[in-house]
Amino acid sequence: MTTTEYDPNVVLSTKEYDVIGTRPLRPDGADKVTGRAQYGADFTATGLLHGKVLRSPHAHARIRSIDTSKAEAAPGVLAVVTNADLPKGGEDVVGGEGVAVGDLRRNVLAADKALYKGHAVAAVAAASPHDAEEALSLIEVDYEVLSPVLTVQEAMADGAPILHEDMRTMAGGEAGDEPSNVAEHFRHDLGDVEKGFAESDIVIEREFDTATVHQGYIEPQVATALWNTDGRVHVWCSTQGSFWVRDEVSNVLGIPESLIKVTPMEIGGGFGGKIPSYVEPVCAMLSQKTGQPVKIVMTRQEVFEGTGPTPGSNVRVKVGADAQGNIKAAHAYLAYEAGAFKGSPVAAGSQCVFAAYAAPNQAIDGYDVVVNKPKTQAYRAPGATNAAFAMETVVSEIAEKLGIDPVDIRLKNAAREGTRRADGPTFPRIGCEEVLQAMRDHPHYSAPLEGPNRGRGISIGYWFNVGFKSTCTISVNHDGAVSLIEGSTDIGGSRASVAMQAAEVLGIRAEDVRPTVADTDSVGYTDVTGGSRVAYATGWAAHDAAQDVKRQMIERASQIWDIDAASIEMEKGVIRSTTDSELRMTFKELAAELASTGGTIIGSGSIDGGGMGAGGGSFAGNIVDVEVDPDTGKVTVLRFTCVQDAGKAIHPSYVEGQMQGGSVQGIGWGLNEEYFMRGNGEMANSSLLDYRMPTSLDLPMIDTVIVEVPSPSHPFGVRGVGEANIVPPPAAIAHAIHNATGVWMEKLPMNPGAVMEAVWSK
Amino acid sequence: MPAKTYVQTTINGEHVDFLCEPRQSLLECLRDVIGLTGSKEGCNDGNCGACTVVLDGRIVTSCLVLGVEVEGREITTIEGVACGSTLHPVQTAFLENAALQCGICTPGFIVASKVLLEQNPDPTEHEIRFWLANNLCRCTGYDKIVRAVQDAAVKMREAEV
Amino acid sequence: MKWIDYARTCSVQEAVDLLKEGNARPLAGGTDILVNLRVRRFDIDTLVDVKDIPELNEITCDPSEGLTLGAAVPCYSIYTNEAVCAAYPGLIDSASLIGGTQIQGRASIGGNLCNAAPSADAVPALIALGAVANVAGPGGTRQVAVEDFCTAPGQTVLEEGELLVSLHMPPPAKGSGAQYMRFIPRNEMDIAVAGAGVSVEIDNGTFKSARIALASVAPTPLFVREAGDSLVGQPVNEESVRAASAIARDAAKPITDMRGTKEYRMHLCEVLTRRGLNIAIERAKENK
């Protein structure tokens, strides 16, 4: 069967709603197809100056001195800033993403040490970007060049160069004695892993390495800031979280958050990489010195060299099973690059590595390791893809050795409601089994795969649904439409999915909810667009705000009709008396009455959706067919199916879009993407030509199956779908390559040269 | 500092003249000098396609054209794709097929797709993917973009009949 | 980018006069030079736009005279020219894989040669086709065989004031065929890990002549004369093709870098030469 012979996008669902599950046009669509939408770089202001950042040419160097005098005297230059211009104090305060203020400051502008090639050292504001760029070469920095460490293995080796003299390994709440590049070692235990291995009929242990990869959003980081004469700072930027920017700028600059207003512009992709602040505080510093608004737009090279990639890693997984394929024990060793400052996503990786399996005995060792690369950041299910590549490959190998179907072995061991993870939590209702069943039943899985050098692979992956805080307000317009204000920047169509949840409650059309993403002064505190949380948590806030509107609409009807509110109900956009069938108004009719009956109605919702793993999270699985060129090692993806549990798909098109986009990022990660580092710590491929993200010509259509196992904690059963889809592809592709060539790939990326080498050494 | 250059050109059917430095790319001129910010900068070296415009009938990456080079030429940008308040069928198809997520690559894809369909009203999936290989999208995985172009092709052919 | 001056020229003489003043470079499609200027790979004061010079825009494809291709002709004008497509499919292979659609709207074969990247996709095809570069300069004009044109990465035989005007390829003989093939990890928008341009002339089941050149495996595009010569007089069969491909592989001098290891790239030279020869042979059979 080819992909054109059946519906490529399937929604497996039971519960019907009026608005939820439909596919209205996105509210911001017209602006985005006509070029009118205003992204960060499109912002301009009277008297705008342009900033450029001087970056370290060395991956590891002590900064002895910085002389900015010549640059300050250069034509068109109005200000130069360095770390010395930042305030001192409060260095140990830990901000939103769990990063200490001192590390934030030293990342924004290097202090005593440059810790990666591309580390910001100074910044210039000038009348034009070209003038600013020219002036950078006039800044004199005296470096003492040090040896870099570029992988976790190098960083953990005896005698390795040390990035931070004051860093001691934290383990079990105790600090080590010696300086170390290992910021933390933690361990999770469940049952008795050694006993489990002893009971196993088969034990497989493998070691895997994955390369550092970048989120690869098409819009580079950009910000403009104005430090006004009244001491207030206004920032316009491209960010996943305007309140997090506000708080980081507050922490870095040492000024109260209420003096800072962040206006989020449209954002050109983020995938986790636009959570942290880089240029925002620098723009503010330059603005303070010049009294004019200052804008910094990163170049693509700066994006690669100066913003968070997601970590490369060294992962060892050991799994034991009985002859029937029941997993008895599993042990994972996860060492992840943190980049220049501590805080890799190894904790999340450790929580995901065995999440799909109800293995009775587990042990997980995690290491957070600093290396001379940019501080790593979240990237779509951060930490989970590295871990799943290892675990899923080992499970597939066990299935093959035991002669068990690879989906069946996963179904046999699938995590379900009540399964406890080694890191502590017990799953509520989850859709792991349902996703695997949908994979098994999909026509792709049973379709014949003919021709030489071809293979099929499968894999499953997990990611949380982060809850966190969101707010939303809804005001009722006299024409019966409502205005919705939210604080979640819209990266992938979330205005639509948030508005639709309000529309469902109010019984009005999705088109009659007009959503606006507001600045930090105009909406209540809202956490980042990340963690698959917007449709979940901001949608929940919209649901609550709509419920508030509904309650007030009923009260107003009760006032107009002079009857008890308890005898009034509002359903499908109609307010009616339960006792008198004559008393009936549509939402629109009542809206028209509001002005003359006490004024308009504003509803609000403010929720705390919980932490990591709220609502159980989401599982995604892949079926992939590849062909491997036996002469070149090049892998062609012939067919790809992504199955994911969405809980309830609010706007199925955008759920499919998340699944397809995440899948393709996973394919890129699996096949070609990597930071190719020279020995001196320089990234050799810091362009979109050489950092090979997939083009349209590298891919087939990406078929999707949306499984709906409602989340127990969300009013509509939503599970965030933004991330789990990136987790399974590398392992599924590795499995398919194995079935095509007989080799198991143990390194990412599985680029043509690597596959050829593996085949040669078979 | 040496003098700027005076350039006269045609953009979206209108005569436009502007002053620019020779080192400024067409993309910089469109965005920073003329105020047409629909063309986006993603890489500034011709590899992402977000700045795609039509120059004398051919699609080009405007970051790899100098502003001074467009003297006497004709340019179409994303701002010139819709006809007044009526969207071009490619724009409508991108909306209806949910072929955009963040939207930053969308102007480049729409400009490139429009020219493809003008030259080849019934492209195969492979021809669409080949034509658009110079346009990177990191959000969609291209599936819905390809479907949108196919959909627009059908609608444009139907409108021709 | 630092300040540069720009001059649009309408004649070869005008361009040569500006170029000989020094610290200037010609601007054709701009797809390489603008990137190089932005990353400060070289430092010049003036860009001399040569796109409006008639000789640099010429495409003359004549069955007896061969092909004259102006140095600034963009790729799309080549692969949309039916006569060139019919006579020089090996050149079309290159013109249609340099960059993507947008790049092909600007980039020229002449620019690809003058940029002198080891990975230049057009150059092995030009060498295989026996192309000659027509150069104009302060001292008049001269001809340079394309295999002698590039001298080091980014370096050519052009001296100060000299300008590549056009490329000339002889008319394809009956029974001849050519091909260019590169290997890249993506399917478009990529730099060759290795590339091979080949041409063959077949008479009665025997190779009458052959030329083989490689990309991305030496400091310059590499003409492997001995690989082509090994085929002369040999029967057209798998054995002779494999032997020539092995010679090409052994002649390659790649380095290990981000595009691949030395061993892998040498291996690819064998694969690409073999695959390219097989396609060129098929084309030769059709070219009666």
Side-chain angles (χ1 to χ4, degrees), chain C:
Chain C
M1 195 197 290
K2 71 160 225 178
W3 184 280
I4 45 163
D5 289 319
Y6 167 88
R8 187 189 285 205
T9 56
C10 297
S11 72
V12 170
Q13 190 58 51
E14 196 184 347
V16 167
D17 286 346
L18 280 168
L19 289 168
K20 76 180 180 201
E21 286 173 21
N23 237 10
R25 288 227 182 190
L27 170 69
T31 54
D32 282 316
I33 197 167
L34 295 181
V35 176
N36 285 329
L37 288 172
R38 283 189 192 127
V39 300
R40 294 159 191 264
R41 199 159 289 143
F42 43 74
D43 181 17
I44 59 164
D45 295 328
T46 308
L47 278 173
V48 179
D49 192 339
V50 295
K51 280 191 292 296
D52 288 346
I53 301 173
E55 293 90 326
L56 275 83
N57 275 309
E58 178 184 358
I59 307 189
T60 309
C61 191
D62 183 285
S64 56
E65 298 294 320
L67 172 64
T68 300
L69 182 65
V73 173
C75 289
Y76 85 89
S77 297
I78 301 168
Y79 62 67
T80 53
N81 183 308
E82 287 179 15
V84 180
C85 287
Y88 299 94
L91 178 66
I92 299 303
D93 292 333
S94 291
S96 50
L97 56 68
I98 291 172
T101 315
Q102 285 88 321
I103 300 297
Q104 290 162 12
R106 297 275 292 168
S108 64
I109 298 293
N112 193 242
L113 177 60
C114 291
N115 189 52
S119 58
D121 285 310
V123 182
L126 292 172
I127 294 172
L129 291 167
V132 171
N134 295 313
V135 175
T141 60
R142 61 176 175 136
Q143 276 73 45
V144 182
V146 168
E147 57 263 36
D148 299 328
F149 195 87
C150 300
T151 55
Q155 305 289 318
T156 69
V157 296
L158 291 182
E159 290 176 11
E160 196 149 271
E162 282 194 319
L163 171 71
L164 176 67
V165 174
S166 63
L167 293 155
H168 181 263
M169 278 147 267
K174 281 207 168 52
S176 71
Q179 216 277 333
Y180 175 73
M181 185 180 290
R182 68 176 178 184
F183 180 78
I184 55 173
R186 293 197 287 201
N187 290 331
E188 259 285 332
M189 299 303 294
D190 217 334
I191 302 292
V193 179
V198 303
S199 70
V200 297
E201 189 181 348
I202 296 169
D203 185 20
N204 208 11
T206 303
F207 288 108
K208 198 171 162 192
S209 69
R211 289 169 70 88
I212 294 169
L214 302 172
S216 250
V217 289
T220 63
L222 189 66
F223 178 39
V224 192
R225 187 184 299 275
E226 62 274 26
D229 287 351
S230 79
L231 290 168
V232 176
Q234 297 292 314
V236 177
N237 60 28
E238 192 182 331
E239 192 187 345
S240 59
V241 166
R242 282 194 179 272
S245 304
I247 294 171
R249 176 194 62 213
D250 294 342
K253 301 174 187 67
I255 54 169
T256 292
D257 68 8
M258 65 174 170
R259 306 201 192 284
T261 62
K262 178 181 175 187
E263 294 71 26
Y264 179 59
R265 297 171 99 164
M266 289 181 73
H267 166 77
L268 286 175
C269 287
E270 193 278 332
V271 172
L272 296 169
T273 305
R274 175 161 47 86
R275 289 179 175 181
L277 280 170
N278 286 329
I279 294 170
I281 289 165
E282 288 308 306
R283 286 177 174 169
K285 286 177 184 167
E286 289 162 15
N287 180 18
K288 286 170 188 151

Side-chain angles (χ1 to χ4, degrees), chain A residues 201-263:
Chain A
D201 297 312
I202 180 172
V203 176
I204 302 253
E205 181 172 14
R206 297 280 178 258
E207 180 171 356
F208 302 85
D209 288 295
T210 73
T212 312
V213 296
H214 199 272
Q215 295 84 350
Y217 35 80
I218 305 298
E219 178 203 37
Q221 265 84 355
V222 51
T224 306
L226 171 64
W227 196 309
N228 219 326
T229 51
D230 58 5
R232 292 174 189 273
V233 177
H234 194 164
V235 179
W236 298 261
C237 60
S238 169
T239 177
Q240 290 178 239
S242 42
F243 285 90
W244 286 29
V245 169
R246 184 190 70 176
D247 295 355
E248 284 193 352
V249 170
S250 160
N251 286 330
V252 170
L253 300 181
I255 57 173
E257 64 192 31
S258 293
L259 288 181
I260 302 162
K261 170 166 151 177
V262 176
T263 299

Side-chain angles (χ1 to χ4, degrees), chain A residues 286-332:
Chain A
L286 289 167
S287 180
Q288 187 185 26
K289 282 201 172 182
T290 60
Q292 287 172 261
V294 178
K295 174 162 146 183
I296 296 179
V297 188
M298 281 199 194
T299 65
R300 178 55 54 178
Q301 186 179 0
E302 288 181 285
V303 171
F304 276 120
E305 295 188 342
T307 75
T310 220
S313 58
N314 174 242
V315 178
R316 291 172 224 154
V317 164
K318 180 178 177 185
V319 177
D322 67 17
Q324 290 72 46
N326 296 299
I327 295 174
K328 304 304 252 180
H331 180 217

